[in-house]
Amino acid sequence: MERLDAMAYDVLAAKLASRGVDVHKVRQRLKNQRIETPSWGFADSGTRFGPYKQAGSAVTIEEKIADAAQVHRYTGVAPTVAVHVLWDFPNGLADCATLSDYAKSLGVAIGAVNPNVFQDRDYAFGSITNDDPAVRKRAVDHMLDSIEIAKKLASDILSLWFADGTDYPGQGDFRRRKHYAEECLATVYNAMPAGMRMLIEYKPFEPAFYHTDLADWGMSYCFARKLGPNAHVLVDLGHHFTGQNIEHIVSFLIDEARLGGFHFNNHKYADDDLTVGSINPYELFLIYNELVKAEPDDGAGFEIPPHHRGNPPIAYMIDQAHVTKAKIDAMIQTVMQIQSAYAKAMCIDRKKLHEAQLAKDVVTAEMCLQEAFATDVEPLLRRVREEMGLDPNPLEAFRASGYWDRVSSERGFRSGAGLGA
Ligand code: RM4
Ligand code: MN
Ligand code: MN
């Protein structure tokens, strides 16, 4: 097996060399990749019809961090966990006193802090766009508290998503609501310490079904620009209409230096929060193609134009709720899927692609992408994992560890705070 692996790797390295790709650099970049898991992805979640409970689902933030640490332990590239304030710290600041140390003891750290201004009944008619100043203040205060929590947890990302919108024409005034949102966001932005970034997520519909106040990337971008250099757009892959060209949006935002991060997931119909790459792996690959081009060294030895540079650091976060899959298995599978898309995007013959574009040879240009997408990058990923001191197959290694069997019998079925729970 080892000999076969070594042979497969050599064949792949030779293939990549013929495309002008330096396989050593690709390995290095794969080792430097970072993916953030969400605390809520380890807890019970559900559908609009109700929550589904799994034996072993995490309830406390300590359990969620412990589960996230398993994902990092077997993949080596998921060292941070995003947290959701209301679900993870129901008592606010008091709940997170020793959490950084706890996370550190398990080999991980806290990532983006997500305030929650959508669950409470008060927000049914909007949070930062509500006509009632007391509700707007409540939402702003919660975000200010979230900044304090982020400081306490040594996190430098405040990640915002708003459910604000209306269900029927005439229900609200678009422009009045827009001005409320601008004012509230400015208050929050100005309270952030130096070095903290605000990520602004958008979503076209749901839970509001007529209009959403932050409906698309252009609106998030517009708010971010008005706020200042530390406000960036968060692209959640599930928050687009079917057929929308997400890689184009990604590329545009990179060029404007406003792409702040991702919420990885995949959808077939709406905001399904399925495993990224499960429905449309080619889309994920095409997104990574844009990201690879924006990295300082494209690893292909081909000079990338300076206008592709200068974007802020990109937070690669997962936002998935696994209802039917075993949660840690699904998270490891997700990380592997993202690694694979990244690796494939680095297998593109960039010189050939560039020349084909200039020569208006559409077929060759497209085939440069298709050949890279069809490349079996598993031998490369296995080699990288071995070099990182990991098992070449993280999912099998995790399953063989017995962790899940142990925690599911220890924890059993329980209720807890969380999405739909
Ligand atoms: C939204 C959005 C946010 C997430 C909430 C629960 O659709 O994706 O990121 O925090 O769901
Ligand atoms: Mn999201
Ligand atoms: Mn979503």
Side-chain angles (χ1 to χ4, degrees), residues 10-23 300 346-347 349:
D10 290 342
V11 170
L12 178 58
K15 190 189 273 181
L16 295 190
S18 76
R19 294 185 196 158
V21 177
D22 180 340
V23 75
M346 288 189 278
C347 294
D349 188 333

Side-chain angles (χ1 to χ4, degrees), residues 161 201-203 206 236 238-239 263 265 271-273 319:
W161 174 71
E201 197 170 342
Y202 55 89
K203 181 170 175 173
E206 197 192 42
D236 181 312
H239 293 190
H263 270 177
N265 53 54
D271 187 22
D272 308 347
D273 284 344
D319 183 6

Side-chain angles (χ1 to χ4, degrees), residues 396-412:
E396 275 176 23
F398 168 70
R399 284 177 164 173
S401 75
Y403 177 90
W404 189 242
D405 295 335
R406 185 164 59 74
V407 296
S408 39
S409 67
E410 276 170 18
R411 295 175 185 169

Side-chain angles (χ1 to χ4, degrees), residues 130-150:
N130 199 304
D131 278 317
D132 182 345
V135 177
R136 295 202 300 279
K137 183 174 183 307
R138 185 175 168 199
V140 168
D141 286 347
H142 176 71
M143 288 186 274
L144 298 178
D145 289 347
S146 302
I147 292 177
E148 294 310 310
I149 289 175

Side-chain angles (χ1 to χ4, degrees), residues 329-343:
D329 283 12
M331 211 57 87
I332 293 174
Q333 180 194 25
T334 302
V335 171
M336 293 171 75
Q337 189 68 238
I338 298 171
Q339 288 181 304
S340 170
Y342 183 38

